[in-house]
Amino acid sequence: LGPPLAPSEWVAGDPERLAKLMLVGMTGPVTVNGTKYTPAAVMPGIKHNPALKDQDVADVMTYIRNAWGNKAEPVSASLVKKTRAATKDRSTPYQEKDLRP
């Protein structure tokens, strides 16, 4: 359905970028490790799911950042909270161009 989670600079790279992607979602093609992927569907964001608290999202992010051969720093609930506040008015999923440095 989408690009691989490992190895992936999107997963193991900037945790704020991953938080934006997870909270708001992503659409369109994306290049991961030099390979272009065009998912058939939009990846939905999870920021409006009241069951997922900031710590829950941080825990999932930390898990995928350290699974399948990934090795990255843990993610804090405070980073997720900050990113959730910064993206609260965004109503459309990100595209790759919005999240590339």
Side-chain angles (χ1 to χ4, degrees):
L1 294 176
L5 296 177
S8 170
E9 69 272 24
W10 290 87
V11 172
D14 180 6
E16 186 176 339
R17 178 174 66 176
L18 179 60
K20 286 178 179 179
L21 195 157
M22 288 186 62
L23 290 168
V24 179
M26 189 171 187
T27 188
V30 60
T31 302
V32 176
N33 295 325
T35 301
K36 185 176 183 175
Y37 296 87
T38 306
V42 173
M43 183 191 123
I46 59 174
K47 73 177 180 179
H48 296 297
N49 183 337
L52 293 173
K53 306 301 182 208
D54 295 336
Q55 187 63 57
D56 299 325
V57 176
D59 290 345
V60 170
M61 289 176 61
T62 296
Y63 174 78
I64 66 173
R65 286 169 54 85
N66 287 282
W68 312 295
N70 287 319
K71 300 226 184 298
E73 294 295 316
V75 178
S76 68
S78 62
L79 180 133
V80 175
K81 181 178 182 174
K82 179 183 116 184
T83 307
R84 190 186 296 268
T87 62
K88 69 179 173 60
D89 294 330
R90 185 167 181 110
S91 59
T92 58
Y94 287 103
Q95 293 182 353
E96 178 176 22
K97 65 182 172 76
D98 301 322
L99 296 172
R100 279 280 179 204

